[in-house]
Amino acid sequence: RKEVEQDPGPFNVPEGATVAFNCTYSNSASQSFFWYRQDCRKEPKLLMSVYSSGNEDGRFTAQLNRASQYISLLIRDSKLSDSATYLCVVSRSNDYKLSFGAGTTVTVRA
Amino acid sequence: GAVVSQHPSWVICKSGTSVKIECRSLDFQATTMFWYRQFPKQSLMLMATSNEGSKATYEQGVEKDKFLINHASLTLSTLTVTSAHPEDSSFYICSARDPQGINGELFFGEGSRLTVL
């Protein structure tokens, strides 16, 4: 079983729509959680960290459910520029080794 | 913010040659850098942890003699793919943590796309 699993999508949504997707992780000892964004043929860039209480950054909301071992990302009022692959990233400890999901592709259409 | 730079961005080489990729932290000192590889439509896979002044730590299944890592200074780590073959063609990305950064964010280099003919 992969350490981090994501629905690859693609999620094709119109501008202005809300899109949400989850990621599951297998190691219950995981401590840190992140969503990264990766554009085609580019390096990943941190979108947001995910905190136990859930957190919001503008149009983006992240949730963590430790009991069920999943994290989620919700994008409100989608923009064309939100089109990208969103990587779920989990760290088991504070040694900064990260485990990456394969990514969920989101395409926002005009 | 902190920046990590990789060079070269693209490299095409013949089978059997060696290719060196550089990863630099531009405005912070990184005692630890990480090297990843990403095949198309797959997740980033950690290859090794590069430690300044000591030997790199390789993940299971990664050949240390094929992927040579040198971390000679606090701002530079290099990955050398020795005797490259077509199956080594991939997107190689490094990352480093700014110890002064918030939440321990890792910054990624721009990536180096290797094509072995």
Side-chain angles (χ1 to χ4, degrees), chain B residues 30-46:
Chain B
T31 55
T32 302
M33 292 184 176
F34 302 92
W35 286 97
Y36 299 83
R37 179 168 54 181
Q38 185 179 34
F39 292 106
K41 298 188 183 297
Q42 294 187 24
S43 57
L44 275 74
M45 296 299 297
L46 179 64

Side-chain angles (χ1 to χ4, degrees), chain A residues 57-93:
Chain A
D57 183 359
R59 298 180 294 106
F60 298 86
T61 301
Q63 296 281 351
L64 167 63
N65 185 317
R66 285 191 183 270
S68 301
Q69 294 183 205
Y70 76 83
I71 67 175
S72 64
L73 181 66
L74 182 145
I75 307 173
R76 286 188 302 277
D77 188 23
S78 300
K79 310 292 184 190
L80 294 176
S81 57
D82 294 333
S83 298
T85 296
Y86 292 85
L87 306 177
C88 173
V89 183
V90 172
S91 174
R92 288 177 295 172
S93 67

Side-chain angles (χ1 to χ4, degrees), chain A residues 16-34:
Chain A
T18 295
V19 59
F21 40 89
N22 292 340
C23 150
T24 58
Y25 59 95
S26 61
N27 192 328
S28 59
S30 299
Q31 294 188 3
S32 303
F33 309 89
F34 310 89

